[in-house]
Amino acid sequence: MTEAAYDTGNIFAKILRGEIPSHRVYEDEAVVAFMDVMPQGPGHTLVVPKAPSRNLLDAAPSTFGPLFSTVQKVARAVRKALNADGVTVMQLNEPASGQTVYHLHVHVIPRFDGIPLKPHTGTMEKPEVLAENAEKIRAALGS
Ligand code: 5GP
């Protein structure tokens, strides 16, 4: 088992630095949340700590307080915004688990009774749909 190093060129690091665009729904001093471009369901949001780590395995323990209190905020907001029946919270570590972007992040996915998740990293969503869902989630976070 080899431990790979954090790569500052990963796509979420670029999003955090503002080098590539994202549909942001939330930001504070420690955490950013934005829409997943290949959602596994409508309103699929990613909650990302600003502190660099590949995933949960190498993260500083101090990362998790701010990260998971934001996960809860975002989970409540996506449930309200999308009128969902439930919310899946998911977090993958290293390729064997299915992780594809190597900056720690938590998936927050609204769920609807009887509707399965779409495949992980399946189809790109239209930007206008991502923008519309982001707007609803921002509104729910603000209320
Ligand atoms: P992982 O497989 O690492 O747990 O999840 C990475 C997630 O990032 C996937 O759900 C994938 O759809 C999403 N993703 C990949 N590239 C981008 C991107 O450029 N922007 C956004 N917003 N999401 C991305």
Side-chain angles (χ1 to χ4, degrees), residues 114-133:
I115 301 183
L117 286 180
K118 291 186 197 162
H120 183 54
T121 62
T123 312
M124 288 283 278
E125 185 53 278
K126 296 186 198 76
E128 57 270 28
V129 172
L130 296 176
E132 188 185 333
N133 286 333

Side-chain angles (χ1 to χ4, degrees), residues 13-138:
K14 289 180 181 172
I15 287 175
L16 289 172
R17 291 194 296 265
E19 293 167 10
I20 62 169
S22 64
H23 296 272
R24 290 192 187 206
V25 297
Y26 179 86
E27 178 166 7
D28 64 24
E29 63 286 353
V31 180
V32 171
F34 51 84
M35 306 312 294
D36 194 306
V37 288
M38 290 172 269
Q40 291 187 252
H44 183 165
T45 303
L46 299 167
V47 183
V48 184
K50 291 181 178 176
S53 71
R54 278 175 68 81
N55 53 44
L56 173 143
L57 300 171
D58 62 331
S62 57
T63 307
F64 297 113
L67 175 60
F68 276 87
S69 57
T70 303
V71 166
Q72 185 191 41
K73 270 186 213 152
V74 170
R76 287 173 169 164
V78 299
R79 186 174 189 209
K80 184 173 173 190
L82 279 293
N83 199 21
D85 300 307
V87 182
T88 292
V89 172
M90 188 169 71
Q91 192 278 315
L92 308 176
N93 300 283
E94 299 298 330
S97 75
Q99 185 179 8
T100 57
V101 177
Y102 297 98
H103 181 112
L104 174 60
H105 55 279
V106 179
H107 299 260
V108 179
I109 313 174
R111 300 301 302 275
F112 303 89
D113 289 338
I115 301 183
L117 286 180
K118 291 186 197 162
H120 183 54
T121 62
T123 312
M124 288 283 278
E125 185 53 278
K126 296 186 198 76
E128 57 270 28
V129 172
L130 296 176
E132 188 185 333
N133 286 333
E135 188 50 48
K136 288 185 197 166
I137 295 165
R138 278 193 292 270

